[in-house]
Amino acid sequence: MPAKVDTTELPARTTGAAARLAAAHAAEHPLKLYGGWFCPFVQRTWIVLHEKRIPHQYVEINPYNKEPEFLALNPRGLVPTLAVPVDEEKKGKKRRPLYESAVICEYLNEAYDDETKYGPGLLPKDAYERARCRLWIDHISNKIIPGFYRFIQHTPEKEYSIDEARANFQGHIKTLVKEMLENENEGEESGPWFLGQTFSLVDVMLAPWAKRLFLIDHYKPGGLGFPAAGQAGSDEEEKVWARWRKWFDAITSRQSVKDTWSDDEQYIAAYKRYAEDTTQSEVAKATRKGEKLP
């Protein structure tokens, strides 16, 4: 079971835009999302619910001090957890849990596929393109995100340097961006997303960490070190970082991303212990051990 740690320094609830969204989804509903406001994996799920306009109830919990009722639903005790109504009338008389944010997001995309009600799907209809998206979702989940935590949890006594953490993280970002560039038609104005003009789950999977990148600039010596326009050192590197900025500006301006975000100051407080490498979250502990993230 995840360790219980003191979270009294942190706000107990969402703030800002996320608080308004949570209030709008506070009423009882058969489909329930259990989440913690500062968790990026929760934000992934919340973005999909927002994008698809899926009716639901948002339930804020303390992921470090879980109530027995929540653990009865999900003994693993991790957020996000989606409580899915499985009774015949879908009234919530009986619910079963789903967890793992990528799994939940794919479930919501498949289960709520009526485009007249829930908007366009977030994965391509073409089987190959759908599989390609899943490959790059895997890259995000198993390369970029672990690189983010390895970077922000760096402290001087680590066996790797801050420059190594920075280069590692930048390399994983560039690998993703090069895939975007390779699939654009030369001479055409591309859209900002992984799939050009089409917003997809690939974009959703990285969005919460894109919003949190400012924390590395805030806490780590030398910050992200992403080159500004004209400072990348070569034409090829300029193209890569220009495409990154295009994607980054689009994702951080996306309404579903903004509406699931609390005030910046709350994240600065929440991630201080990551920057000091003292937090006892399951993600942080896995990062210290060099293990796969939970």
Side-chain angles (χ1 to χ4, degrees):
M1 185 180 297
K4 294 181 180 180
V5 301
D6 180 20
T7 58
T8 54
E9 297 173 25
L10 305 181
R13 293 286 180 268
T14 52
T15 58
R20 293 188 288 275
L21 185 62
H25 291 276
E28 183 69 27
H29 193 278
L31 182 70
K32 299 179 186 291
L33 172 62
Y34 292 89
W37 65 268
F38 56 87
C39 176
F41 299 97
V42 170
Q43 191 180 9
R44 277 178 165 179
T45 305
W46 215 3
I47 288 169
V48 172
L49 287 164
H50 189 298
E51 289 282 341
K52 304 279 290 178
R53 305 188 297 275
I54 298 171
H56 65 280
Q57 180 183 1
Y58 178 80
V59 182
E60 180 77 24
I61 66 166
N62 183 338
Y64 297 117
N65 187 19
K66 305 171 184 72
E67 298 299 325
E69 294 79 7
F70 174 68
L71 290 172
L73 179 68
N74 178 2
R76 294 186 67 195
L78 298 177
V79 291
T81 291
L82 191 71
V84 180
V86 293
D87 49 301
E88 191 171 332
E89 302 84 7
K90 303 294 183 187
K91 299 289 188 182
K93 295 176 184 176
K94 185 178 180 182
R95 296 184 181 91
R96 288 181 180 166
L98 285 176
Y99 32 88
E100 302 293 348
S101 60
V103 172
I104 295 173
C105 290
E106 283 217 30
Y107 165 77
L108 292 170
N109 189 54
E110 292 179 12
Y112 297 86
D113 61 350
D114 183 342
E115 294 193 3
T116 63
K117 285 184 180 179
Y118 305 115
L122 295 173
L123 283 173
K125 290 183 170 61
D126 178 79
Y128 173 78
E129 283 298 300
R130 196 161 58 249
R132 187 171 73 89
C133 283
R134 290 185 174 119
L135 280 175
W136 289 95
I137 287 170
D138 183 78
H139 175 78
I140 289 166
S141 295
N142 291 310
K143 298 294 185 181
I144 295 178
I145 293 170
F148 171 89
Y149 288 107
R150 192 169 182 263
F151 196 173
I152 200 166
Q153 287 178 234
H154 179 270
T155 53
E157 62 271 15
K158 299 287 186 187
E159 61 184 20
Y160 61 93
S161 71
I162 190 74
D163 290 334
E164 288 171 329
R166 183 181 295 108
N168 175 268
F169 183 62
Q170 287 184 6
H172 294 320
I173 292 286
K174 290 196 291 184
T175 298
L176 175 68
V177 176
K178 286 175 183 177
E179 176 70 9
M180 297 183 198
L181 289 169
E182 286 175 8
N183 284 272
E184 293 177 351
N185 294 321
E186 191 171 348
E188 291 184 11
E189 177 66 22
S190 67
W193 310 116
F194 177 80
L195 294 175
Q197 297 291 341
T198 304
F199 186 74
S200 74
L201 281 184
V202 183
D203 305 300
V204 173
M205 291 299 104
L206 187 52
W209 288 271
K211 283 289 292 181
R212 287 162 174 78
L213 288 182
F214 81 99
L215 295 164
I216 291 178
D217 282 332
H218 181 84
Y219 279 118
K220 297 291 129 174
L224 287 164
F226 291 177
Q231 297 180 3
S234 71
D235 289 345
E236 182 181 351
E237 289 285 294
E238 285 293 341
K239 288 178 183 177
V240 168
W241 288 111
R243 184 64 176 87
W244 164 257
R245 288 189 293 273
K246 187 174 188 178
W247 181 86
F248 178 83
D249 291 346
I251 199 67
T252 53
S253 300
R254 185 86 177 181
Q255 199 62 49
S256 61
V257 177
K258 294 194 296 183
D259 285 348
T260 53
W261 185 253
S262 289
D263 295 328
D264 285 359
E265 293 76 12
Q266 314 307 331
Y267 297 95
I268 291 172
Y271 280 82
K272 183 174 184 287
R273 281 172 284 190
Y274 279 91
E276 296 170 344
D277 199 25
T278 58
T279 180
Q280 294 302 309
S281 77
E282 294 299 292
V283 166
K285 289 190 287 186
T287 300
R288 285 186 205 112
K289 295 175 183 177
E291 295 176 351
K292 184 180 174 70
L293 299 189

